[in-house]
Amino acid sequence: RGIAIALEHELWERAYNSYFNLSDHSFKRDRYDDALRYLAAALEVARRRGTRPGEWGTLAETTYPLYMTGRWEEALASAAAIPEDRLSQATTMSLLTSVLEIHVHRGNPGEARRLLSLFQHLEDATDIQDRVGYLSAHAAVLRAEGRLAEAVTTGVEAAELSRASFGVGSQSDKQGLVEALEAALALGERERATELLATLDAIPRGLRAPYLEAQGH
């Protein structure tokens, strides 16, 4: 009986991780409808297993494809289902590339800063994924606050570190580079913006995420 339960648990865990990883791959290629299908399956597995951290992590991941496809109210509703005092108990970094950006675009930099502060402990994290997630979001907040020079520096650091560690098209790569570009243009630093665009041109077209291709244009 115990062996059967352990085996069933392992199968559920594999299924959950498989759906989660497939959704992340879809993020990189901007295939957000595919990502939402994988995450819906992952959420069902998490709920059937009764794992709340798995459920919260999946809801957080779901906010990103919802944000990128313009379904902002749905993204905010998914985020609202995650207790703020439990953010560190699940994989919730996607909130920094979705909900935080929604606050910025809606002219609420204070709320974006407040959300970022909930992840303050990751500013000097030794885990690269945690660190670049914080850095790219910080760049977005800095630009929203008018601290443009800092936004350029922070955004570039996030994009370069993310690309070196996780390849082209990760959430932090996209967020960091675009924030740096926008800040450079706002400063009138066209040469700096041109340099950043050149990093996009250097990516083979077949590997370039459609979102970054559009930003380049």
Side-chain angles (χ1 to χ4, degrees):
R1 176 66 175 173
I3 293 175
I5 292 174
L7 180 59
E8 182 181 15
H9 176 80
E10 182 179 350
L11 291 174
W12 280 120
E13 187 73 19
R14 287 183 181 180
Y16 178 81
N17 290 335
S18 177
Y19 289 132
F20 216 77
N21 292 336
L22 285 168
S23 71
D24 186 65
H25 180 71
S26 297
F27 286 0
K28 289 185 177 182
R29 303 303 301 157
D30 296 322
R31 295 172 178 167
Y32 297 116
D33 288 339
D34 291 343
L36 286 169
R37 284 194 291 271
Y38 292 132
L39 288 168
L43 185 60
E44 181 180 354
V45 171
R47 285 174 171 168
R48 290 184 66 177
R49 290 179 59 209
T51 166
R52 296 309 298 275
E55 180 180 351
W56 297 330
T58 307
L59 288 172
E61 288 294 288
T62 300
T63 65
Y64 183 67
L66 289 174
Y67 160 67
M68 292 294 278
T69 52
R71 297 161 62 179
W72 290 9
E73 293 305 324
E74 292 176 67
L76 294 174
S78 291
I82 308 168
E84 284 193 355
D85 62 346
R86 302 297 181 88
L87 291 177
S88 63
Q89 296 180 16
T91 304
T92 56
M93 291 294 292
S94 279
L95 298 176
L96 296 179
T97 54
S98 57
V99 174
L100 182 142
E101 289 282 359
I102 292 173
H103 291 317
V104 167
H105 290 307
R106 288 183 168 177
N108 299 315
E111 187 59 24
R113 170 64 73 174
R114 190 191 73 82
L115 177 58
L116 182 67
S117 72
L118 299 177
F119 294 86
Q120 183 76 41
H121 59 288
L122 301 180
E123 184 174 9
D124 299 313
T126 55
D127 182 273
I128 298 298
Q129 189 169 11
D130 288 344
R131 177 164 168 72
V132 298
Y134 182 89
L135 283 172
S136 64
H138 193 197
V141 173
L142 289 169
R143 185 168 73 87
E145 294 173 341
R147 297 163 62 181
L148 301 177
E150 293 174 81
V152 173
T153 300
T154 305
V156 169
E157 182 182 0
E160 290 180 346
L161 188 56
S162 179
R163 193 169 296 179
S165 302
F166 309 111
V168 177
S170 70
Q171 292 161 262
S172 296
D173 177 25
K174 293 172 182 173
Q175 186 181 35
L177 182 61
V178 171
E179 294 298 340
L181 270 168
E182 294 286 2
L185 290 171
L187 285 168
E189 296 181 356
R190 296 182 63 85
E191 289 187 9
R192 183 62 170 134
T194 299
E195 291 174 2
L196 294 174
L197 285 172
T199 67
L200 292 181
D201 292 335
I203 302 170
R205 191 170 295 274
L207 299 178
R208 203 177 305 170
Y211 176 80
L212 292 177
E213 177 78 13
Q215 292 292 343
H217 287 301

